[in-house]
Structure formats: C-alpha cells, structure tokens
Amino acid sequence: MVDGWFTAEGGEFRLLGTCCRDCGAVYFPREDAFCRAPGCAGTELAEVPLSRRGRVWSYTDGRYRPPAPYPSDPERAWRPYTLVAVELATERMVVLGQGAPGVTVADLAVGMEVEVVPGVLAEEDGRTLTTWHWRPVSEERPVSEERPVSEEAS
C-alpha cells in the first residue's frame, strides 16, 4: 500500500520502521527527516525491520464502511473486519492493523501472541494493494528469537 512500510525480502514479511542513531527511538510508520523524541535533535535515521511477533494490546471489530481515502467499493457488500493493536516489546511500541482474513474478536485475547503477515487491502485497476495483517500464532509454530533493534540499526 505504501512504499517502504514493509518488505518480503528473503521470503520473510516484515514491517519496516526507522531508528534514530542518536537516541534509539524507533518509529512506525517510518520517519525519514528527524527524530521526534522530545529532547533529541537527531537527524540520522536508519531503516530497521520490526519484530514479526508481538502481543495483543487491544482489539475491536469494524462494523462500518470507512470513509475515503480507504479504498472501498460502495457497490459491494460490506464485511466487518477485526482491528488489532499489537505491542512490539523490543521496539516498545504499539502497531495497529487488521486481523488476517477469518480472524474475529472471538479468536483474540489481550496478551496473546500474534504475528504479522501480508494481506490484500483491495484490488483496483488490475493492481493489488498490499497491506499487513495480524494473525494468532499457532501452538505448533516455534517462537523465533528476535534481534534487539539496536543490533538491527547498526
């Protein structure tokens, strides 16, 4: 959907943020001009892949058609969707996104582990608009270790 907000390099889908080299503050969506942290005058920001997994901080369901500029064909039936706020512990931030298709509020609980996956926002004019979704981590999948942001920004 927005260039530079995520990558799928190496077959691993990740959100991309930026990290201030002076104070270590991490931003998503990315910040490319200057550090927004109070008291930091840093202007050197490095792109960093964010943690693929986090914990549900909050969630709700969207039962209304959002207004423009969200792409939504008014001729098509509206289907509710799940919104999930996920806390990324390493980055010390909360990232909002839709639940993956089929994920409802009944499937979620505050504190449960979820992972970021690619999703389709809309298809228009022969183009697929890509976004990210959050889905619960199944018990069978091993939890991968995340590198600290400070190592990724180096």
Side-chain angles (χ1 to χ4, degrees):
M1 183 170 127
V2 179
D3 288 336
W5 281 25
F6 47 81
T7 184
E9 286 184 25
E12 188 176 81
F13 187 83
R14 302 280 293 250
L15 295 175
L16 296 174
T18 48
C19 178
C20 175
R21 291 204 188 266
D22 289 345
C23 72
V26 179
Y27 298 101
F28 181 82
R30 60 186 300 123
E31 172 60 62
D32 292 315
F34 57 89
C35 182
R36 297 186 306 244
C40 182
T43 58
E44 193 173 336
L45 301 160
E47 182 176 274
V48 292
L50 302 181
S51 299
R52 292 191 67 244
R53 293 183 177 186
R55 302 242 172 232
V56 174
W57 185 75
S58 184
Y59 58 93
T60 190
D61 57 349
R63 299 231 166 239
Y64 63 92
R65 184 184 304 273
Y70 186 91
S72 178
D73 183 351
E75 301 300 317
R76 293 176 62 185
W78 176 249
R79 292 195 328 226
Y81 58 93
T82 303
L83 284 173
V84 188
V86 176
E87 182 177 31
L88 304 178
T90 301
E91 293 85 357
R92 297 182 312 223
M93 70 169 55
V94 174
V95 176
L96 185 66
Q98 287 187 13
V103 173
T104 69
V105 293
D107 301 317
L108 300 171
V110 170
M112 83 181 319
E113 188 174 29
V114 292
E115 64 186 341
V116 68
V117 295
V120 174
L121 178 63
E123 293 184 15
E124 59 181 36
D125 301 327
R127 296 182 314 142
T128 300
L129 302 176
T130 305
T131 190
W132 65 94
H133 288 156
W134 295 106
R135 77 170 174 213
V137 173
S138 70
E139 296 299 321
E140 302 88 51
R141 293 185 197 177
V143 176
S144 63
E145 292 190 25
E146 301 284 350
R147 294 182 307 173
V149 170
S150 58
E151 289 179 22
E152 292 174 344
S154 301

